[in-house]
Amino acid sequence: MVAPTVTDQFDPHPGDEPDRLPHPALVLPPAQLAGRIQHTLVGQAITERQVREHARECLEYGFDAAIVPPSWVWAAQDEMRGAPGRVGSFIDYPHGSGTTAGRVAEARALVDAGVDELDSTVNIGYLLSSRYDEFAADIRAVVEAASPVGVKVMLELPLLNPRQRERCVQAAIDAGVAFVKNASRGAVGIADPSTISYLRGAVPDSVGVKAAGGIKTIEQVRAVLVAGADLVGTSCGVRIVTGGGPVRGSLYSY
Ligand SMILES: O=C[C@H](O)COP(=O)(O)O
């Protein structure tokens, strides 16, 4: 599930000294970074028409996956039937304050529905209450329920102090997550390169890093990829790769 790094797929001058080359994320045109973007549709009033349009956009621009609300996975899958696109969804979004039993049931239902990708909130309230065992057990339960689909956990790092960040990341690693993600959405905090770089340094190479939260420009995408992100989650994928289109996203809708 861990994607190869951007560097793996780009060698503009074979034989040159690698350290003399700019990072590929800085020089590739926006359309060629679409494969790093998880095209995300979140919100309270999402309609079938929007989900189907979102799935078509995923195919048209070559995004890594279309991420849609749990109840709409079937519609995205239907729209992408026969095409190589991948469909993902999210668990207990956006707050992560549901019961472990409910989150486990949601994970199982989504896996049974055939999702390719799963992002999960974590119960950050447990962590902030120093209930570390409950916090870790909840992540483990979701990871086990989702298997064999890997889980990306949204760690809500902007809400945590440095010690809490360490505990949070370690619990995710110990639970066997596939990816760590800095935050669930822009309303929690805008993804910034220093946080992504922290995450990249805190997890082993076998764990991917996804940057998300208020990413609305190609410059932001380039910056988080250079900082070590493997994937970028954003509600503004089309705008980012085309330079036009509406600004969307949880930053404004929550
Ligand atoms: O993983 C993707 C996030 O939900 C997108 O956050 P955003 O709505 O702030 O772009």
Side-chain angles (χ1 to χ4, degrees):
M1 173 159 188
V2 177
T5 65
V6 173
T7 312
D8 293 338
Q9 65 182 24
F10 183 75
D11 187 7
H13 306 292
D16 281 7
E17 276 297 313
D19 59 0
R20 293 198 175 172
L21 296 173
H23 191 290
L26 294 175
V27 293
L28 282 169
Q32 285 186 43
L33 294 175
R36 294 283 149 183
I37 293 176
Q38 299 209 311
H39 187 37
T40 302
L41 184 63
V42 291
Q44 197 171 12
I46 288 167
T47 63
E48 180 175 351
R49 184 188 58 74
Q50 289 173 313
V51 173
R52 290 184 178 278
E53 182 185 1
H54 190 78
R56 287 196 299 275
E57 289 170 351
C58 184
L59 296 177
E60 179 180 352
Y61 297 103
F63 292 119
D64 177 70
I67 311 293
V68 300
S71 57
W72 288 118
V73 163
W74 63 271
Q77 288 171 331
D78 183 56
E79 199 63 38
M80 293 166 88
R81 198 170 304 283
R86 288 142 34 83
V87 176
S89 193
F90 34 82
I91 297 165
D92 198 15
Y93 191 88
H95 294 133
S97 50
T99 62
T100 299
R103 292 151 58 72
V104 162
E106 197 168 20
R108 288 198 181 123
L110 286 166
V111 172
D112 288 347
V115 288
D116 304 296
E117 297 280 320
L118 261 186
D119 287 27
S120 178
T121 51
V122 295
N123 193 323
I124 214 67
Y126 278 161
L127 186 79
L128 292 169
S129 305
S130 303
R131 290 194 166 272
Y132 305 118
D133 290 347
E134 290 92 336
F135 177 73
D138 178 76
I139 300 176
R140 270 199 311 276
V142 170
V143 168
E144 280 166 21
S147 180
V149 177
V151 173
K152 308 187 210 80
V153 279
M154 315 183 209
L155 297 180
E156 311 299 30
L157 297 185
L159 306 181
L160 307 180
N161 66 32
R163 180 72 187 119
Q164 289 165 338
R165 283 184 174 206
E166 276 176 37
R167 281 186 177 269
C168 188
V169 173
Q170 194 57 51
I173 295 169
D174 293 345
V177 302
F179 271 74
V180 288
K181 185 170 164 185
N182 54 299
S184 57
R185 62 202 196 284
V188 171
I190 307 295
D192 67 279
S194 66
T195 304
I196 301 308
S197 162
Y198 163 76
L199 273 180
R200 184 68 276 168
V203 298
D205 289 348
S206 55
V207 177
V209 173
K210 177 173 172 180
I215 296 178
K216 304 194 180 301
T217 67
I218 188 64
E219 290 75 21
Q220 286 174 287
V221 170
R222 294 190 196 284
V224 293
L225 289 175
V226 169
D230 302 294
L231 290 172
V232 176
T234 175
S235 305
C236 288
V238 172
R239 183 181 174 81
I240 287 168
V241 298
T242 66
V247 175
R248 294 181 182 140
S250 58
L251 185 59
Y252 302 106
S253 58
Y254 285 97

